[in-house]
Amino acid sequence: MIPFEKELIKELKKGDHSAFERIFQQYSKQLFLFSLSYLKSREAAEDIVQEVFVKIWKNRADIRTDKSFQSYLFTITLNAVRKYFNKLSRINEVKHDIIFNLSEHKEEFDNRSDYQLLLDKLEELIEQMPEKRKVVFTKMKIEGKSQKEIAEELDISVKTVEYHISESMRYLKDEFERLRINGILFFHLFVQ
């Protein structure tokens, strides 16, 4: 670690906001470009950089001044990118399961040419939900959280969570029936 950086880290460890800002200015662009090279999404890369610096601030007291700070930053960033890909993989697996269960001919499922269109439509319908409903639905159906966990996290009642889930399922069922995509099976999938 270069001497200037070592002093900056010492100030950061004491909770000095200006030291934190200088570190952010020094490294944020490099971390953004590093993240972007993996994620190919500006928004996702920006989220990763924000996550990294939130972690740096929260764990500032534990940062070691005898090790390379830059290596530490890039290790945290790489771990955040891996976490992002793992989450994306889980989301895609859930979407795959939904579409598979909607398929009337499961034996021909992998050969369906409209599979990506179905995935895109599902994602589009979820994105069109009102913001709070979309958040509740995603936390329950994609992240697998309980109604109680969601209620506590969002500071709403369990009844409100139930309402949003019920409305989400009704909306998706109606839209998939309108599109003639076996909405009853889709609804059943989400009731389980």
Side-chain angles (χ1 to χ4, degrees):
M1 188 176 296
I2 56 178
F4 163 75
E5 192 173 79
K6 195 172 194 174
E7 290 305 313
L8 206 53
I9 301 304
K10 284 181 182 178
E11 293 303 311
L12 172 66
K13 288 173 69 97
K14 294 177 189 175
D16 184 333
H17 286 278
S18 64
F20 178 77
E21 288 174 17
R22 288 193 308 248
I23 290 169
F24 181 84
Q25 290 170 353
Q26 185 173 342
Y27 289 107
S28 60
K29 186 173 182 178
Q30 293 173 40
L31 297 179
F32 171 77
L33 293 172
F34 178 74
S35 300
L36 185 62
S37 71
Y38 284 101
L39 302 172
K40 310 299 185 221
S41 162
R42 294 186 67 80
E43 185 178 315
E46 288 169 358
D47 289 346
I48 293 291
V49 171
Q50 181 177 350
E51 182 181 329
V52 167
F53 280 98
V54 165
K55 187 170 187 168
I56 291 297
W57 181 254
K58 284 183 179 178
N59 299 320
R60 65 188 179 275
D62 299 325
I63 297 172
R64 296 180 58 179
T65 56
D66 61 330
K67 302 283 183 182
S68 168
F69 183 70
Q70 185 172 352
S71 294
Y72 177 66
L73 278 176
F74 278 91
T75 299
I76 293 172
T77 305
L78 186 57
N79 287 336
V81 167
R82 286 180 180 143
K83 181 178 162 187
Y84 175 86
F85 278 127
N86 288 338
K87 180 180 177 184
L88 194 59
S89 177
R90 282 191 307 274
I91 291 169
N92 287 335
E93 188 176 315
V94 168
K95 288 179 187 175
H96 176 82
D97 289 345
I98 291 168
I99 301 302
F100 178 77
N101 286 313
L102 287 173
S103 177
E104 293 177 12
H105 307 286
K106 291 182 180 14
E107 63 279 354
E108 300 170 14
F109 178 72
D110 289 331
N111 297 325
R112 287 189 64 133
S113 60
D114 60 351
Y115 174 71
Q116 187 59 49
L117 293 174
L118 293 173
L119 281 178
D120 292 344
K121 190 60 181 174
L122 174 62
E123 194 169 305
E124 180 184 321
L125 291 172
I126 292 170
E127 282 299 315
Q128 290 174 0
M129 291 180 187
E131 191 60 32
K132 180 76 93 175
R133 188 165 301 149
K134 177 173 54 173
V135 168
V136 170
F137 179 83
T138 301
K139 286 185 179 299
M140 185 164 202
K141 299 302 181 181
I142 305 289
E143 297 174 19
K145 294 185 176 181
S146 72
Q147 290 181 359
K148 184 179 178 187
E149 289 173 318
I150 297 167
E152 289 172 359
E153 192 174 315
L154 298 178
D155 197 26
I156 58 177
S157 71
V158 172
K159 287 283 184 199
T160 302
V161 172
E162 290 172 0
Y163 169 77
H164 283 301
I165 294 300
S166 174
E167 290 299 307
S168 298
M169 292 188 304
R170 182 185 350 250
Y171 165 72
L172 291 171
K173 177 182 180 272
D174 290 348
E175 288 300 310
F176 273 87
E177 282 179 350
R178 189 178 63 78
L179 295 167
R180 297 187 182 142
I181 304 174
N182 201 346
I184 293 170
L185 184 57
F186 184 83
F187 182 77
H188 175 71
L189 173 71
F190 281 108
V191 171
Q192 294 178 338

